[in-house]
Amino acid sequence: MNLENVDTQRDYQCLVNHIYQAEDFDFVGVALYAADNSTIKWYFVAGNQNEQFRKIVLRSGIGIAGLVVRTGKPFWKNGLQDYEYTDKMYTPIARVESLQNAAAVPIYPSAVKLVGGVLLAGYRSKQPVSNETTSRLSQYLDTF
């Protein structure tokens, strides 16, 4: 895991827990680069249905987290369950957590503007997400 120390890990889990409790999201998670710095994994979550998220390993550009890491821009999408494995927008986290709609924003862990991870929140219901959802998530990171 590409984190400097245990305090940072605890902080990310506290952030995820805080957003999950303060908002109405069904799932909140943080994905970060793995130790090899070439793959992305989900490390900190709240509202998960099971532990399958731990098996997801992504490369930049794959899934919602990979797309946000590659572009460095927030992303949101409704109707995620409509995509199949062969679709360009297939997202493993949505599949294993039964997310219908999700929004994600990049995490910049240092002053250098390189994306270090992704904060994602989503709904299992038809509750829509929008650009406003990504703005709310970004505000949590601004105060983190």
Side-chain angles (χ1 to χ4, degrees):
M1 181 172 8
N2 196 10
L3 297 177
E4 290 78 23
N5 56 44
V6 175
D7 289 336
T8 303
Q9 294 176 29
R10 192 174 312 117
D11 290 346
Y12 276 118
Q13 189 61 57
C14 287
L15 173 68
V16 165
N17 291 343
H18 176 72
I19 295 169
Y20 182 73
Q21 292 168 356
E23 301 281 342
D24 63 344
F25 297 115
D26 296 320
F27 176 87
V28 179
V30 168
L32 301 167
Y33 276 104
D36 63 9
N37 272 342
S38 66
T39 57
I40 305 157
K41 293 183 74 174
W42 294 98
Y43 288 104
F44 308 102
V45 302
N48 53 306
Q49 295 179 325
N50 52 53
E51 296 295 310
Q52 285 184 327
F53 72 90
R54 296 190 188 283
K55 296 178 183 177
I56 298 172
V57 179
L58 301 170
R59 291 183 314 276
S60 179
I62 306 295
I64 293 175
L67 182 66
V68 171
V69 165
R70 187 181 52 143
T71 64
K73 296 179 180 177
F75 177 83
W76 58 271
K77 189 74 175 169
N78 294 303
L80 292 170
Q81 292 297 323
D82 297 339
Y83 295 101
E84 297 296 325
Y85 182 73
T86 55
D87 291 330
K88 190 175 183 179
M89 267 313 304
Y90 175 78
T91 178
I93 195 67
R95 186 67 60 194
V96 300
E97 288 297 332
S98 304
L99 299 177
Q100 295 291 323
N101 309 316
V105 294
I107 297 173
Y108 296 101
S110 66
V112 178
K113 286 294 186 181
L114 294 175
V115 178
V118 174
L119 171 62
L120 176 138
Y123 297 103
R124 293 186 182 97
S125 65
K126 297 288 184 181
Q127 173 77 25
V129 293
S130 65
N131 200 37
E132 189 266 326
T133 311
T134 61
S135 295
R136 282 191 349 242
L137 289 175
S138 293
Q139 288 174 355
Y140 281 104
L141 287 175
D142 289 344
T143 60
F144 176 60

